[in-house]
């Protein structure tokens, strides 16, 4: 019985064997093509040489009267009527070449044409033939009339000399060219087929990696920074079968995802407990803090105290008010975490900006404020109380953490379906290392950002701004350099329906 592990190993081995066989076949095809071309070249050349031998041997055959030469041919050395004419080309196939080379005398030649007539070689061709082809051997030479396979034999005539016989190589070259193109075409077709089959095999082999990459990409886009960060995607079974290299990676990846899921679940449970504790504690602290403030005010109004006692009670009243504000902020964050909000509606952001900016001018008379609004009202789709608190917190933050005389500019614009609100100041700026944690809960600014007026920030103001902005489907960013700090808030516009 074959086990699954053996089946997987067998499949992997078959894949490697198929690829190896395909590569071997490609090599064999190329080798066979080269060998076939060489063998065909040798065969056709040998056939030419045999024909040359036969034609050359018949050049001085039976006795007979010499033929009449074609007009324009070179004069043939005097021969007796009992000697055959070696330049007689009657009955020879077109392209046959004969040349009688006699040292110290005129050379004669003839080349058979398609119609059976003959023409003589040029003087340069004859000059090239002299001494180039060794007696009794074959050679190839390109003349003015084409490329020839030539054979030189001693002339058995009274005049002596060498008889050169030749056949054109055009037919052989045409066959070899056709064979070469056929070989190349078949080889290319084979390579394309091999490439296609190889691609299919490789893709099938690497498909598990694609699955792994897809899952990793999906996990990378999940919002895992907060909330119930559950990772539900896993590597499919086909890519996580143990026993193969890719399968082992898939198993390890799934184990890692399971571990992360358990870790995120534990973290989320801890966060829920902490938030619930904060919400419960804040709710429980509201009543005693209210009582402390009430009794403190009652004592201050109804009892005669020493100056030090009055100062102490006023300090208690101030701290109780600060604690009440902190408790309210914590309760607000807890309600946002739980999704307890009012229903969003159309809000006139222009009116809200004018109101909150005017309130900031009254609250911070030592700062200057400027407001730039568009001509048309800007309506956003949000919760009005939340947007109001966003504006109050950002404006108060700009006034609280900058020196007296700082100018705060507020501008509003609507574009591409969103309202863009910018609140900038020319204060001393926010340290670069603090910008990353600017919207983190309980984060406190560097001393260079404090006003020096004794106010202690809880570090929740901007955290509430970010939470409220995100709850209203908006964004908030902060940029700061020395002498320039800018908060940019975007909120979706209210699009009226017909």
């Amino acid at each position: 019985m074959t086990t699954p592990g053996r089946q997987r190993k067998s499949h992997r081995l078959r894949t490697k064997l198929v690829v190896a066989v395909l590569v071997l076949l490609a090599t064999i095809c190329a080798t066979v093509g080269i060998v076939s071309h060489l063998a065909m070249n040798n065969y056709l050349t040998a056939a030419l040489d045999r024909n040359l031998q036969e034609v050359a041997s018949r050049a001085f055959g039976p006795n007979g009267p010499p033929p009449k030469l074609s007009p324009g041919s070179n004069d043939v050395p005097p021969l007796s009527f009992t000697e055959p004419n070696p330049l007689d080309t009657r009955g020879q196939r077109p392209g046959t070449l004969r040349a009688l080379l006699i040292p110290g005398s005129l050379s004669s030649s003839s080349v058979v044409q398609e119609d059976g007539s003959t023409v003589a070689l040029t003087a340069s061709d004859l000059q090239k033939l002299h001494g180039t082809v060794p007696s009794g051997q074959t050679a190839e030479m390109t003349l003015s009339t084409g490329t020839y396979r030539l054979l030189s034999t001693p002339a058995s005539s009274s005049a002596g000399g060498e008889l050169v016989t030749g056949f054109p190589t055009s037919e052989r070259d045409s066959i070899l060219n056709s064979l070469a193109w056929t070989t190349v075409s078949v080889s290319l077709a084979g390579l394309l087929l091999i490439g296609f089959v190889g691609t299919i095999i490789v893709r099938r082999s690497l498909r598990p990696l694609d699955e792994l990459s897809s899952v990793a990409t999906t996990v990378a886009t999940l919002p895992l920074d907060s909330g119930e960060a559950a990772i539900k995607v896993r590597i499919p079974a086909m890519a996580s079968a143990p026993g193969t290299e890719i399968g082992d990676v898939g198993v390890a990846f799934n184990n890692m995802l399971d571990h992360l899921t358990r870790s995120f679940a534990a973290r989320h449970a801890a966060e829920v407990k902490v938030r619930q504790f904060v919400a419960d504690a804040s709710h429980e602290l509201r009543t005693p803090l209210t009582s402390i403030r009430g009794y403190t005010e009652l004592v201050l109004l109804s009892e005669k105290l020493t100056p030090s006692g009055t100062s102490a009670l006023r300090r208690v009243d101030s701290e109780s008010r600060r604690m009440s504000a902190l408790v309210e902020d914590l309760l607000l964050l807890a309600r946002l975490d739980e999704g307890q909000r009012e229903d969003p509606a159309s809000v006139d952001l222009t009116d809200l900006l004018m109101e909150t900016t005017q309130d900031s001018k009254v609250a911070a008379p030592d700062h200057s404020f400027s407001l730039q609004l568009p001509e048309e009202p800007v309506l956003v789709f949000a919760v009005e109380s939340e947007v109001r608190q966003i504006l109050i917190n950002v404006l108060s933050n700009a006034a609280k953490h900058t020196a007296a005389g700082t100018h705060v500019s507020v501008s509003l614009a609507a574009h591409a379906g969103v309202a863009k609100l910018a609140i900038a100041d020319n204060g001393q700026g926010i340290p670069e290392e603090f910008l990353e944690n600017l919207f983190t809960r309980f984060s406190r600014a560097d001393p260079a950002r404090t006003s020096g007026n004794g106010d202690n920030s809880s570090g929740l103001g901007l955290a509430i701004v970010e939470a409220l902005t995100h709850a209203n489907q908006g964004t908030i960013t902060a940029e700061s350099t020395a002498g320039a700090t800018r908060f940019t808030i975007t909120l979706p516009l209210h699009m009226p329906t017909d």
Side-chain angles (χ1 to χ4, degrees), residues 146-158:
T147 303
Y148 292 87
R149 183 76 177 176
L150 304 173
L151 171 64
S152 178
T153 56
S156 56
S157 64
S158 59

Side-chain angles (χ1 to χ4, degrees), residues 32-196:
V32 168
I34 295 173
V35 172
S36 299
H37 188 274
L38 293 176
M40 181 61 71
N41 181 50
N42 292 335
Y43 172 79
L44 295 176
T45 302
L48 273 178
D49 292 346
R50 287 195 301 270
N51 291 335
L52 284 174
Q53 292 284 354
E54 295 174 359
V55 172
S57 65
R58 294 195 297 267
F60 299 93
N63 296 335
K68 295 181 179 180
L69 299 180
S70 60
S73 62
N74 295 330
D75 294 334
V76 181
L79 298 173
S80 63
F81 285 101
T82 59
E83 294 179 353
N85 184 2
L87 301 183
D88 185 4
T89 57
R90 287 178 299 179
Q92 301 296 333
R93 66 180 185 180
T96 302
L97 178 148
R98 280 182 176 174
L100 184 60
L101 307 178
I102 302 175
S105 178
L106 295 176
S107 300
S108 301
S109 62
S110 61
V111 179
V112 181
Q113 303 300 298
E114 292 291 339
D115 59 357
S117 63
T118 60
V119 295
L121 295 174
T122 63
S124 59
D125 288 341
L126 291 173
Q127 183 66 28
K128 187 183 294 187
L129 290 175
H130 271 285
T132 303
V133 183
S135 179
Q137 298 183 14
T138 57
E140 289 190 15
M141 183 177 298
T142 301
L143 303 176
S144 60
T145 55
T147 303
Y148 292 87
R149 183 76 177 176
L150 304 173
L151 171 64
S152 178
T153 56
S156 56
S157 64
S158 59
E162 290 286 328
L163 177 65
V164 177
T165 306
F167 285 148
T169 61
S170 56
E171 184 177 353
R172 181 202 65 180
D173 295 340
S174 177
I175 295 174
L176 292 177
N177 289 335
S178 299
L179 178 62
W181 280 110
T182 303
T183 303
V184 170
S185 301
V186 172
S187 299
L188 288 177
L191 289 176
L192 290 176
L193 178 61
I194 292 171
F196 177 74

Side-chain angles (χ1 to χ4, degrees), residues 270-332:
E271 288 180 352
V272 170
K273 290 180 180 179
V274 171
R275 290 172 182 171
Q276 188 63 43
F277 169 77
V278 171
D280 294 342
S282 301
H283 183 75
E284 294 298 327
L285 286 174
R286 295 178 71 182
T287 301
L289 284 173
T290 303
S291 299
I292 292 173
R293 289 174 55 192
Y295 283 116
T296 302
E297 292 176 358
L298 179 62
V299 172
L300 287 173
L301 292 174
S302 62
E303 301 294 334
K304 293 183 179 180
L305 302 172
T306 62
S308 60
T310 301
S311 175
L313 280 180
R314 291 189 183 281
R315 184 64 177 171
V316 170
D317 181 66
S318 174
E319 291 300 318
S320 63
R321 290 178 183 277
R322 191 176 71 86
M323 286 293 296
S324 296
L326 176 60
V327 167
E328 293 298 330
D329 288 343
L330 290 174
L331 282 174
L332 175 59

Side-chain angles (χ1 to χ4, degrees), residues 340-391:
Q340 299 179 10
R341 301 174 58 238
E342 299 178 11
D343 294 331
S346 179
V347 178
D348 190 341
L349 188 57
T350 307
D351 287 344
L352 277 182
L353 268 179
M354 289 190 293
E355 294 176 9
T356 54
T357 304
Q358 184 63 34
D359 293 342
S360 298
K361 288 181 180 180
V362 176
D366 56 350
H367 286 63
S368 62
F369 291 82
S370 64
L371 181 61
Q372 295 180 355
L373 298 175
E375 296 181 359
E376 299 294 331
V378 177
L379 303 179
V380 296
F381 189 71
V383 178
E384 182 175 357
S385 60
E386 295 177 353
V387 176
R388 184 183 297 275
Q389 185 158 1
I390 291 172
L391 300 178

Side-chain angles (χ1 to χ4, degrees), residues 381-433:
F381 189 71
V383 178
E384 182 175 357
S385 60
E386 295 177 353
V387 176
R388 184 183 297 275
Q389 185 158 1
I390 291 172
L391 300 178
I392 292 174
N393 283 16
V394 176
L395 287 170
S396 64
N397 184 77
K400 184 188 300 183
H401 297 291
T402 55
T406 301
H407 177 73
V408 180
S409 63
V410 182
S411 62
L412 176 64
H415 179 68
V418 296
K420 186 175 182 180
L421 170 66
I423 301 176
D425 66 71
N426 60 351
Q428 57 268 44
I430 303 174
E432 183 178 356
E433 61 274 10

